[in-house]
Amino acid sequence: MELDRREFANLLLGSATAASFGTLGLPAFAANDAATILRKTDAIRNPQQSFAVDVALINYERGKVKEKTTVTTYSRPTGSQFQTLVHINAPSTDRGKILLRNGNNLWLYDPSSKASVRISPRQRLLGNASNGDVVSSNLVGDYNVSLDGQETVADGDKRNVACNKLRLTQKDSSAPYSAVEFWTDASSNQPVKGKYYTSSGKLIKVAWYRKRQNAMGASRPTEIIIADGFDPNKVTVMTMGNYRAKDIPQSWFQKEWLPNFKG
């Protein structure tokens, strides 16, 4: 299996071209509405109820597959954020490992040692996808948000979309990224594109959301293309499927309970 490098190159070019259309004037109400926009986008990115979803990650270098990982994510809303358990299904060397987010803590459980260790949400899980990318989260819970204008940008399907541009800054160190530029469709609040930065302002990666499908009462993107901020030849494709409502007991989200998990 290969990634269509011409398609990806066109996506990068299209994004740059569309962005050159410039920043549009802001509606008078918009300056105070950034958090509302982001909440609506969060509700599209993730169902705001207890749910499970299967996630496949494929890492490409120069268009060829280098690694694959599949996980199942179980999420339970709590306040403005989620408690999340991520069970690694494949490859076989990692099967049974679990990522757990509870509050500001992220843990990795290894069944071979039966030990749980604290990990960083920025640590890479596969390719350009970090631990924080597969753990369900509401951006509005992790970041302060402001509206940074309106722009027309190319989405993941190379269509020019009029977007609200949001600027996100982490509320504390548990957020996966120090700062994010995030574009949402101005007419529907669908997520379109994100650019992720270190605390020093270096670009880590760029992500495009695409392939919307109806799932659990909303049209949601089911594929995210993530390009490395330093090497555009390194691309990770993250595909979500089989969203389903699931009543998840709170006990799942205690690290002491993880040895009892039966995926």
Side-chain angles (χ1 to χ4, degrees), residues 74-146:
Y74 302 89
S75 300
R76 183 178 188 272
T78 174
S80 63
Q81 198 47 276
F82 288 96
Q83 296 172 313
T84 302
L85 183 153
V86 180
H87 180 268
I88 299 178
N89 305 320
S92 58
T93 52
D94 291 324
R95 178 171 173 78
K97 292 181 180 178
I98 295 173
L99 303 178
L100 172 69
R101 177 178 178 173
N102 192 348
N104 292 333
N105 297 322
L106 189 62
W107 302 87
L108 173 65
Y109 169 74
D110 188 340
S112 62
S113 64
K114 293 184 168 50
S116 298
V117 296
R118 286 282 297 271
I119 58 174
S120 167
R122 298 178 183 85
Q123 183 177 331
R124 294 194 177 200
L125 175 66
L126 180 93
N128 303 317
S130 70
N131 295 325
D133 292 326
V134 296
V135 172
S136 298
S137 65
N138 283 327
L139 295 172
V140 77
D142 282 339
Y143 297 92
N144 298 307
V145 56
S146 60

Side-chain angles (χ1 to χ4, degrees), residues 2 53-55 62 83 109 146 214 247:
E2 293 192 2
V53 61
D54 298 326
V55 183
R62 299 188 177 275
Q83 296 172 313
Y109 169 74
S146 60
N214 290 325
D247 186 14

